[in-house]
Amino acid sequence: MAFSPEQEYIIVADKIHIRHFHAFKEQYIVRPPYQRKRVWDTRKKQDLLDSLFRRYFIPSIVLREVRLSPHDSRKEVIDGQQRISTVQEFYENRLKLPDKLKDVDSRLPGKLYCELHPDIRAFIDFELRLNADIIKNIQDPHSFRHLEIASEIFWRLQQGESLNKIETAHARIFSPVRNFLVKYADEYDFDFEKYSAIDPNPKKHKFFHETYKRTNTRMQHLAMLGRFLLFERADGPTSVGDSVIARLIDDTQVKDEGVGNMSYEKTKEAKALIKVLNQLRKVYQDDPKLDLDWVGVVIFRWKYFVDSCYLLLRHLMNFYVYDEEVRLSYRDFTYSFFRRINKTRARDDLARTFVEHNQQSQADIELRDRIIRHEFFKFALEEKKVSFVEKDKQQAFSEAQRIAIYLRDGGICKMCEDCGKPENECVAPWNDFHADHIIPYSKGGPTTIENGQVLCSAHNLAKGASYDG
């Protein structure tokens, strides 16, 4: 018997008129969930148009047939996103033909589609085609296995491309870590129920819209969020190169249930990251130096400086009462220290050392963290006269404290009582009550029996939601 492994899909070769990508645009899923949003520059787009007119070789696009219902199908673009988008842009009169086509016909250079002679438009519509390989038999949009195969095909096709490690890791759609990073840092989201892209992404964190508005052409925003996540997982400085982030995404893939799985944002480290990011945005939110139209916070020019600022802020939030006085002191210090590291005066040894150790190794990050923390406290105490209040290092009530608080209060939820409920409706069950700080821990409230009160689970969750970050 001849060896012949069973094929999971078949490939059908086709030639598609380029007009079809415009006339039936809704039939194409140009950005499936494993694709990142990439945009060619004008030169690349015009090079494609030049090749089309000259009938030069253009690699085949790769499409997956996706069946949404027995009577409704789509073509998912596994490879060819930019070629199809370029053709659509040309038909929408947003892209001119290149000047170098003058040797083909003097009527072509610099012309939009609508400006061309009818004979030329007919040639474009009925003669110009793109070769396509259409993948069939993996058409179920809700099948984990079918989507896994499609993403693997995409991932393998990209291995010859000049993608960085984060761009490649973006295709690992079965990783909850990847899903978390994409939700808060990517340009677009994906609706798996409707199986369509959501562009722009409404869930992208406002930090990237305001505080850090710099380019995201190579997924720098996702990489930055990945570095912050590594800091939280390590509870401080650690190696944060792109390869470390990519390995984390790769190692956390969960086949058959990872697609669309947002469970990771419920983890301790993910919650801590968002909490610090919320505050990092608030630090500069009302700052007159904030450039909302272009670059955001000017001092966040270098990623090593942003990383150090993040580590300093999380340290202050974790160990001190983080109030308005500390916030403003932190903001003023970051500007002051940025000016120092931009100067090359030899006598400023600490600033020079900080700049010289600008790599992403754990040793360099630890050294920068020690320097920036030392200089911040010196600045805050000597120049701003800030009065720091350390948090009680015990954040959670012990079992003995919980029992004492419950017995003292008779199990009565304080907020239920304040709402005027009958006493019998105010009792929080022993197996479902929360020992709560009267003066919040984040405001310096000690973890003592005297500062504790009983809350039912509903009121404790409601109280927690009322505190931003």
Side-chain angles (χ1 to χ4, degrees), residues 193-220:
E193 289 299 317
K194 297 180 180 178
Y195 209 76
S196 61
I198 303 172
D199 190 2
N201 176 13
K203 299 171 185 174
K204 187 171 184 179
H205 199 283
K206 290 182 180 179
F207 172 84
F208 296 109
H209 293 299
E210 300 172 7
T211 319
Y212 191 86
K213 292 188 65 176
R214 283 166 176 76
T215 179
N216 193 33
T217 54
R218 302 303 302 272
M219 308 202 84
Q220 294 94 323

PDB file of all heavy atoms in Angstrom, residues 193-220:
ATOM      1  N   GLU A 193     -17.776  36.377  16.311  1.00  0.00           N
ATOM      2  CA  GLU A 193     -19.161  35.971  16.070  1.00  0.00           C
ATOM      3  C   GLU A 193     -19.586  36.357  14.652  1.00  0.00           C
ATOM      4  O   GLU A 193     -20.160  35.561  13.912  1.00  0.00           O
ATOM      5  CB  GLU A 193     -20.087  36.622  17.098  1.00  0.00           C
ATOM      6  CG  GLU A 193     -19.944  36.066  18.510  1.00  0.00           C
ATOM      7  CD  GLU A 193     -20.267  34.578  18.576  1.00  0.00           C
ATOM      8  OE1 GLU A 193     -21.263  34.165  17.952  1.00  0.00           O
ATOM      9  OE2 GLU A 193     -19.518  33.838  19.248  1.00  0.00           O
ATOM     10  N   LYS A 194     -19.315  37.594  14.274  1.00  0.00           N
ATOM     11  CA  LYS A 194     -19.652  38.062  12.924  1.00  0.00           C
ATOM     12  C   LYS A 194     -18.554  37.719  11.921  1.00  0.00           C
ATOM     13  O   LYS A 194     -18.747  37.859  10.712  1.00  0.00           O
ATOM     14  CB  LYS A 194     -19.882  39.572  12.937  1.00  0.00           C
ATOM     15  CG  LYS A 194     -21.063  39.998  13.788  1.00  0.00           C
ATOM     16  CD  LYS A 194     -21.230  41.509  13.759  1.00  0.00           C
ATOM     17  CE  LYS A 194     -22.415  41.940  14.612  1.00  0.00           C
ATOM     18  NZ  LYS A 194     -22.573  43.419  14.628  1.00  0.00           N
ATOM     19  N   TYR A 195     -17.428  37.296  12.427  1.00  0.00           N
ATOM     20  CA  TYR A 195     -16.234  36.980  11.655  1.00  0.00           C
ATOM     21  C   TYR A 195     -15.867  38.137  10.706  1.00  0.00           C
ATOM     22  O   TYR A 195     -15.841  38.013   9.483  1.00  0.00           O
ATOM     23  CB  TYR A 195     -16.383  35.688  10.859  1.00  0.00           C
ATOM     24  CG  TYR A 195     -15.031  35.019  10.658  1.00  0.00           C
ATOM     25  CD1 TYR A 195     -14.429  34.330  11.703  1.00  0.00           C
ATOM     26  CD2 TYR A 195     -14.346  35.120   9.466  1.00  0.00           C
ATOM     27  CE1 TYR A 195     -13.182  33.762  11.558  1.00  0.00           C
ATOM     28  CE2 TYR A 195     -13.087  34.556   9.306  1.00  0.00           C
ATOM     29  CZ  TYR A 195     -12.517  33.880  10.358  1.00  0.00           C
ATOM     30  OH  TYR A 195     -11.269  33.325  10.217  1.00  0.00           O
ATOM     31  N   SER A 196     -15.592  39.266  11.338  1.00  0.00           N
ATOM     32  CA  SER A 196     -15.201  40.447  10.565  1.00  0.00           C
ATOM     33  C   SER A 196     -14.297  41.331  11.420  1.00  0.00           C
ATOM     34  O   SER A 196     -14.373  41.318  12.660  1.00  0.00           O
ATOM     35  CB  SER A 196     -16.434  41.242  10.126  1.00  0.00           C
ATOM     36  OG  SER A 196     -17.157  41.702  11.254  1.00  0.00           O
ATOM     37  N   ALA A 197     -13.444  42.106  10.746  1.00  0.00           N
ATOM     38  CA  ALA A 197     -12.515  42.989  11.440  1.00  0.00           C
ATOM     39  C   ALA A 197     -13.241  44.215  11.976  1.00  0.00           C
ATOM     40  O   ALA A 197     -14.213  44.689  11.383  1.00  0.00           O
ATOM     41  CB  ALA A 197     -11.399  43.414  10.495  1.00  0.00           C
ATOM     42  N   ILE A 198     -12.762  44.724  13.121  1.00  0.00           N
ATOM     43  CA  ILE A 198     -13.272  45.966  13.696  1.00  0.00           C
ATOM     44  C   ILE A 198     -12.135  46.978  13.617  1.00  0.00           C
ATOM     45  O   ILE A 198     -11.131  46.848  14.319  1.00  0.00           O
ATOM     46  CB  ILE A 198     -13.698  45.772  15.161  1.00  0.00           C
ATOM     47  CG1 ILE A 198     -14.752  44.668  15.268  1.00  0.00           C
ATOM     48  CG2 ILE A 198     -14.239  47.070  15.745  1.00  0.00           C
ATOM     49  CD1 ILE A 198     -15.093  44.290  16.696  1.00  0.00           C
ATOM     50  N   ASP A 199     -12.284  47.939  12.746  1.00  0.00           N
ATOM     51  CA  ASP A 199     -11.206  48.876  12.472  1.00  0.00           C
ATOM     52  C   ASP A 199     -11.770  50.304  12.458  1.00  0.00           C
ATOM     53  O   ASP A 199     -12.654  50.594  11.667  1.00  0.00           O
ATOM     54  CB  ASP A 199     -10.570  48.540  11.119  1.00  0.00           C
ATOM     55  CG  ASP A 199      -9.289  49.306  10.852  1.00  0.00           C
ATOM     56  OD1 ASP A 199      -8.858  50.072  11.733  1.00  0.00           O
ATOM     57  OD2 ASP A 199      -8.724  49.137   9.764  1.00  0.00           O
ATOM     58  N   PRO A 200     -11.311  51.184  13.368  1.00  0.00           N
ATOM     59  CA  PRO A 200     -10.231  50.972  14.333  1.00  0.00           C
ATOM     60  C   PRO A 200     -10.712  50.226  15.573  1.00  0.00           C
ATOM     61  O   PRO A 200     -11.915  50.068  15.783  1.00  0.00           O
ATOM     62  CB  PRO A 200      -9.809  52.403  14.687  1.00  0.00           C
ATOM     63  CG  PRO A 200     -11.072  53.187  14.534  1.00  0.00           C
ATOM     64  CD  PRO A 200     -11.792  52.570  13.359  1.00  0.00           C
ATOM     65  N   ASN A 201      -9.762  49.810  16.374  1.00  0.00           N
ATOM     66  CA  ASN A 201     -10.044  49.047  17.585  1.00  0.00           C
ATOM     67  C   ASN A 201     -10.543  49.977  18.695  1.00  0.00           C
ATOM     68  O   ASN A 201      -9.781  50.793  19.201  1.00  0.00           O
ATOM     69  CB  ASN A 201      -8.771  48.328  18.031  1.00  0.00           C
ATOM     70  CG  ASN A 201      -8.926  47.584  19.341  1.00  0.00           C
ATOM     71  OD1 ASN A 201     -10.030  47.379  19.828  1.00  0.00           O
ATOM     72  ND2 ASN A 201      -7.804  47.179  19.922  1.00  0.00           N
ATOM     73  N   PRO A 202     -11.808  49.858  19.094  1.00  0.00           N
ATOM     74  CA  PRO A 202     -12.343  50.759  20.128  1.00  0.00           C
ATOM     75  C   PRO A 202     -11.802  50.469  21.522  1.00  0.00           C
ATOM     76  O   PRO A 202     -11.951  51.286  22.427  1.00  0.00           O
ATOM     77  CB  PRO A 202     -13.854  50.494  20.058  1.00  0.00           C
ATOM     78  CG  PRO A 202     -13.968  49.090  19.582  1.00  0.00           C
ATOM     79  CD  PRO A 202     -12.824  48.893  18.626  1.00  0.00           C
ATOM     80  N   LYS A 203     -11.177  49.299  21.712  1.00  0.00           N
ATOM     81  CA  LYS A 203     -10.692  48.901  23.027  1.00  0.00           C
ATOM     82  C   LYS A 203      -9.225  49.265  23.247  1.00  0.00           C
ATOM     83  O   LYS A 203      -8.702  49.075  24.349  1.00  0.00           O
ATOM     84  CB  LYS A 203     -10.877  47.393  23.214  1.00  0.00           C
ATOM     85  CG  LYS A 203     -12.336  46.949  23.127  1.00  0.00           C
ATOM     86  CD  LYS A 203     -12.447  45.441  23.109  1.00  0.00           C
ATOM     87  CE  LYS A 203     -13.889  45.002  22.895  1.00  0.00           C
ATOM     88  NZ  LYS A 203     -13.996  43.529  22.726  1.00  0.00           N
ATOM     89  N   LYS A 204      -8.571  49.779  22.227  1.00  0.00           N
ATOM     90  CA  LYS A 204      -7.162  50.130  22.396  1.00  0.00           C
ATOM     91  C   LYS A 204      -7.025  51.161  23.512  1.00  0.00           C
ATOM     92  O   LYS A 204      -7.784  52.127  23.598  1.00  0.00           O
ATOM     93  CB  LYS A 204      -6.597  50.685  21.087  1.00  0.00           C
ATOM     94  CG  LYS A 204      -5.093  50.912  21.138  1.00  0.00           C
ATOM     95  CD  LYS A 204      -4.522  51.263  19.775  1.00  0.00           C
ATOM     96  CE  LYS A 204      -3.004  51.376  19.853  1.00  0.00           C
ATOM     97  NZ  LYS A 204      -2.403  51.686  18.546  1.00  0.00           N
ATOM     98  N   HIS A 205      -6.049  50.953  24.387  1.00  0.00           N
ATOM     99  CA  HIS A 205      -5.919  51.791  25.581  1.00  0.00           C
ATOM    100  C   HIS A 205      -5.652  53.250  25.202  1.00  0.00           C
ATOM    101  O   HIS A 205      -4.885  53.536  24.278  1.00  0.00           O
ATOM    102  CB  HIS A 205      -4.784  51.268  26.469  1.00  0.00           C
ATOM    103  CG  HIS A 205      -4.874  51.750  27.879  1.00  0.00           C
ATOM    104  ND1 HIS A 205      -4.504  53.019  28.260  1.00  0.00           N
ATOM    105  CD2 HIS A 205      -5.320  51.137  29.009  1.00  0.00           C
ATOM    106  CE1 HIS A 205      -4.694  53.177  29.555  1.00  0.00           C
ATOM    107  NE2 HIS A 205      -5.187  52.039  30.037  1.00  0.00           N
ATOM    108  N   LYS A 206      -6.273  54.152  25.931  1.00  0.00           N
ATOM    109  CA  LYS A 206      -6.142  55.579  25.635  1.00  0.00           C
ATOM    110  C   LYS A 206      -4.711  56.074  25.797  1.00  0.00           C
ATOM    111  O   LYS A 206      -4.359  57.131  25.260  1.00  0.00           O
ATOM    112  CB  LYS A 206      -7.085  56.380  26.523  1.00  0.00           C
ATOM    113  CG  LYS A 206      -8.549  56.192  26.169  1.00  0.00           C
ATOM    114  CD  LYS A 206      -9.448  57.040  27.056  1.00  0.00           C
ATOM    115  CE  LYS A 206     -10.911  56.841  26.679  1.00  0.00           C
ATOM    116  NZ  LYS A 206     -11.811  57.655  27.548  1.00  0.00           N
ATOM    117  N   PHE A 207      -3.896  55.348  26.529  1.00  0.00           N
ATOM    118  CA  PHE A 207      -2.484  55.711  26.652  1.00  0.00           C
ATOM    119  C   PHE A 207      -1.852  55.838  25.273  1.00  0.00           C
ATOM    120  O   PHE A 207      -1.038  56.733  25.028  1.00  0.00           O
ATOM    121  CB  PHE A 207      -1.757  54.640  27.479  1.00  0.00           C
ATOM    122  CG  PHE A 207      -0.262  54.802  27.520  1.00  0.00           C
ATOM    123  CD1 PHE A 207       0.338  55.652  28.430  1.00  0.00           C
ATOM    124  CD2 PHE A 207       0.561  54.092  26.647  1.00  0.00           C
ATOM    125  CE1 PHE A 207       1.720  55.799  28.477  1.00  0.00           C
ATOM    126  CE2 PHE A 207       1.936  54.229  26.680  1.00  0.00           C
ATOM    127  CZ  PHE A 207       2.519  55.094  27.597  1.00  0.00           C
ATOM    128  N   PHE A 208      -2.228  54.935  24.354  1.00  0.00           N
ATOM    129  CA  PHE A 208      -1.635  54.943  23.018  1.00  0.00           C
ATOM    130  C   PHE A 208      -2.283  55.971  22.094  1.00  0.00           C
ATOM    131  O   PHE A 208      -1.748  56.269  21.033  1.00  0.00           O
ATOM    132  CB  PHE A 208      -1.735  53.546  22.395  1.00  0.00           C
ATOM    133  CG  PHE A 208      -0.950  52.505  23.131  1.00  0.00           C
ATOM    134  CD1 PHE A 208      -1.592  51.518  23.863  1.00  0.00           C
ATOM    135  CD2 PHE A 208       0.433  52.524  23.119  1.00  0.00           C
ATOM    136  CE1 PHE A 208      -0.872  50.548  24.547  1.00  0.00           C
ATOM    137  CE2 PHE A 208       1.165  51.571  23.813  1.00  0.00           C
ATOM    138  CZ  PHE A 208       0.514  50.586  24.529  1.00  0.00           C
ATOM    139  N   HIS A 209      -3.420  56.502  22.491  1.00  0.00           N
ATOM    140  CA  HIS A 209      -4.052  57.562  21.703  1.00  0.00           C
ATOM    141  C   HIS A 209      -3.598  58.948  22.155  1.00  0.00           C
ATOM    142  O   HIS A 209      -3.644  59.901  21.381  1.00  0.00           O
ATOM    143  CB  HIS A 209      -5.581  57.486  21.829  1.00  0.00           C
ATOM    144  CG  HIS A 209      -6.182  56.261  21.214  1.00  0.00           C
ATOM    145  ND1 HIS A 209      -6.061  55.974  19.869  1.00  0.00           N
ATOM    146  CD2 HIS A 209      -6.918  55.256  21.754  1.00  0.00           C
ATOM    147  CE1 HIS A 209      -6.690  54.842  19.616  1.00  0.00           C
ATOM    148  NE2 HIS A 209      -7.215  54.387  20.732  1.00  0.00           N
ATOM    149  N   GLU A 210      -3.176  59.046  23.408  1.00  0.00           N
ATOM    150  CA  GLU A 210      -2.857  60.351  23.975  1.00  0.00           C
ATOM    151  C   GLU A 210      -1.398  60.456  24.412  1.00  0.00           C
ATOM    152  O   GLU A 210      -0.620  61.221  23.860  1.00  0.00           O
ATOM    153  CB  GLU A 210      -3.763  60.625  25.184  1.00  0.00           C
ATOM    154  CG  GLU A 210      -5.243  60.629  24.851  1.00  0.00           C
ATOM    155  CD  GLU A 210      -6.110  60.716  26.088  1.00  0.00           C
ATOM    156  OE1 GLU A 210      -5.545  60.908  27.188  1.00  0.00           O
ATOM    157  OE2 GLU A 210      -7.345  60.583  25.974  1.00  0.00           O
ATOM    158  N   THR A 211      -1.037  59.661  25.418  1.00  0.00           N
ATOM    159  CA  THR A 211       0.278  59.799  26.032  1.00  0.00           C
ATOM    160  C   THR A 211       1.407  59.364  25.112  1.00  0.00           C
ATOM    161  O   THR A 211       2.444  60.021  25.031  1.00  0.00           O
ATOM    162  CB  THR A 211       0.329  58.980  27.334  1.00  0.00           C
ATOM    163  OG1 THR A 211      -0.908  59.127  28.034  1.00  0.00           O
ATOM    164  CG2 THR A 211       1.468  59.432  28.213  1.00  0.00           C
ATOM    165  N   TYR A 212       1.184  58.240  24.425  1.00  0.00           N
ATOM    166  CA  TYR A 212       2.221  57.703  23.537  1.00  0.00           C
ATOM    167  C   TYR A 212       1.629  57.535  22.141  1.00  0.00           C
ATOM    168  O   TYR A 212       1.113  56.486  21.786  1.00  0.00           O
ATOM    169  CB  TYR A 212       2.730  56.357  24.060  1.00  0.00           C
ATOM    170  CG  TYR A 212       3.976  55.872  23.356  1.00  0.00           C
ATOM    171  CD1 TYR A 212       5.233  56.282  23.783  1.00  0.00           C
ATOM    172  CD2 TYR A 212       3.898  55.019  22.271  1.00  0.00           C
ATOM    173  CE1 TYR A 212       6.383  55.850  23.141  1.00  0.00           C
ATOM    174  CE2 TYR A 212       5.045  54.585  21.614  1.00  0.00           C
ATOM    175  CZ  TYR A 212       6.278  55.002  22.057  1.00  0.00           C
ATOM    176  OH  TYR A 212       7.410  54.569  21.402  1.00  0.00           O
ATOM    177  N   LYS A 213       1.701  58.610  21.337  1.00  0.00           N
ATOM    178  CA  LYS A 213       1.048  58.600  20.029  1.00  0.00           C
ATOM    179  C   LYS A 213       2.006  58.317  18.880  1.00  0.00           C
ATOM    180  O   LYS A 213       1.672  58.505  17.720  1.00  0.00           O
ATOM    181  CB  LYS A 213       0.362  59.946  19.776  1.00  0.00           C
ATOM    182  CG  LYS A 213      -0.828  60.204  20.679  1.00  0.00           C
ATOM    183  CD  LYS A 213      -1.567  61.450  20.260  1.00  0.00           C
ATOM    184  CE  LYS A 213      -2.183  61.303  18.891  1.00  0.00           C
ATOM    185  NZ  LYS A 213      -2.996  62.472  18.507  1.00  0.00           N
ATOM    186  N   ARG A 214       3.181  57.839  19.202  1.00  0.00           N
ATOM    187  CA  ARG A 214       4.160  57.622  18.141  1.00  0.00           C
ATOM    188  C   ARG A 214       3.782  56.448  17.253  1.00  0.00           C
ATOM    189  O   ARG A 214       2.885  55.676  17.559  1.00  0.00           O
ATOM    190  CB  ARG A 214       5.548  57.424  18.754  1.00  0.00           C
ATOM    191  CG  ARG A 214       6.159  58.752  19.206  1.00  0.00           C
ATOM    192  CD  ARG A 214       7.356  58.565  20.120  1.00  0.00           C
ATOM    193  NE  ARG A 214       7.953  59.844  20.442  1.00  0.00           N
ATOM    194  CZ  ARG A 214       7.439  60.704  21.311  1.00  0.00           C
ATOM    195  NH1 ARG A 214       6.318  60.424  21.928  1.00  0.00           N
ATOM    196  NH2 ARG A 214       8.027  61.854  21.557  1.00  0.00           N
ATOM    197  N   THR A 215       4.508  56.295  16.171  1.00  0.00           N
ATOM    198  CA  THR A 215       4.184  55.320  15.129  1.00  0.00           C
ATOM    199  C   THR A 215       4.010  53.906  15.666  1.00  0.00           C
ATOM    200  O   THR A 215       4.669  53.508  16.624  1.00  0.00           O
ATOM    201  CB  THR A 215       5.279  55.322  14.049  1.00  0.00           C
ATOM    202  OG1 THR A 215       4.963  54.342  13.054  1.00  0.00           O
ATOM    203  CG2 THR A 215       6.637  55.000  14.642  1.00  0.00           C
ATOM    204  N   ASN A 216       3.126  53.184  15.015  1.00  0.00           N
ATOM    205  CA  ASN A 216       2.897  51.781  15.346  1.00  0.00           C
ATOM    206  C   ASN A 216       3.060  50.921  14.096  1.00  0.00           C
ATOM    207  O   ASN A 216       2.435  49.882  13.966  1.00  0.00           O
ATOM    208  CB  ASN A 216       1.497  51.603  15.945  1.00  0.00           C
ATOM    209  CG  ASN A 216       1.314  50.244  16.598  1.00  0.00           C
ATOM    210  OD1 ASN A 216       2.254  49.677  17.146  1.00  0.00           O
ATOM    211  ND2 ASN A 216       0.109  49.709  16.529  1.00  0.00           N
ATOM    212  N   THR A 217       3.909  51.373  13.187  1.00  0.00           N
ATOM    213  CA  THR A 217       4.055  50.685  11.904  1.00  0.00           C
ATOM    214  C   THR A 217       4.613  49.282  12.041  1.00  0.00           C
ATOM    215  O   THR A 217       4.327  48.402  11.224  1.00  0.00           O
ATOM    216  CB  THR A 217       4.968  51.496  10.959  1.00  0.00           C
ATOM    217  OG1 THR A 217       6.214  51.768  11.622  1.00  0.00           O
ATOM    218  CG2 THR A 217       4.316  52.812  10.579  1.00  0.00           C
ATOM    219  N   ARG A 218       5.429  49.030  13.052  1.00  0.00           N
ATOM    220  CA  ARG A 218       6.004  47.702  13.267  1.00  0.00           C
ATOM    221  C   ARG A 218       5.541  47.098  14.587  1.00  0.00           C
ATOM    222  O   ARG A 218       6.248  46.361  15.222  1.00  0.00           O
ATOM    223  CB  ARG A 218       7.540  47.764  13.224  1.00  0.00           C
ATOM    224  CG  ARG A 218       8.137  48.299  11.937  1.00  0.00           C
ATOM    225  CD  ARG A 218       7.718  47.515  10.701  1.00  0.00           C
ATOM    226  NE  ARG A 218       8.042  46.121  10.743  1.00  0.00           N
ATOM    227  CZ  ARG A 218       9.217  45.605  10.335  1.00  0.00           C
ATOM    228  NH1 ARG A 218      10.164  46.388   9.884  1.00  0.00           N
ATOM    229  NH2 ARG A 218       9.415  44.303  10.378  1.00  0.00           N
ATOM    230  N   MET A 219       4.332  47.479  14.993  1.00  0.00           N
ATOM    231  CA  MET A 219       3.710  46.954  16.211  1.00  0.00           C
ATOM    232  C   MET A 219       4.475  47.341  17.470  1.00  0.00           C
ATOM    233  O   MET A 219       4.567  46.582  18.433  1.00  0.00           O
ATOM    234  CB  MET A 219       3.528  45.439  16.120  1.00  0.00           C
ATOM    235  CG  MET A 219       2.818  44.980  14.876  1.00  0.00           C
ATOM    236  SD  MET A 219       2.053  43.368  15.022  1.00  0.00           S
ATOM    237  CE  MET A 219       0.491  43.819  15.790  1.00  0.00           C
ATOM    238  N   GLN A 220       4.995  48.586  17.468  1.00  0.00           N
ATOM    239  CA  GLN A 220       5.738  49.054  18.635  1.00  0.00           C
ATOM    240  C   GLN A 220       4.854  49.147  19.879  1.00  0.00           C
ATOM    241  O   GLN A 220       5.326  48.944  20.999  1.00  0.00           O
ATOM    242  CB  GLN A 220       6.358  50.434  18.352  1.00  0.00           C
ATOM    243  CG  GLN A 220       7.436  50.439  17.291  1.00  0.00           C
ATOM    244  CD  GLN A 220       6.902  50.775  15.904  1.00  0.00           C
ATOM    245  OE1 GLN A 220       5.806  50.364  15.545  1.00  0.00           O
ATOM    246  NE2 GLN A 220       7.662  51.511  15.131  1.00  0.00           N
TER     247      GLN A 220
END
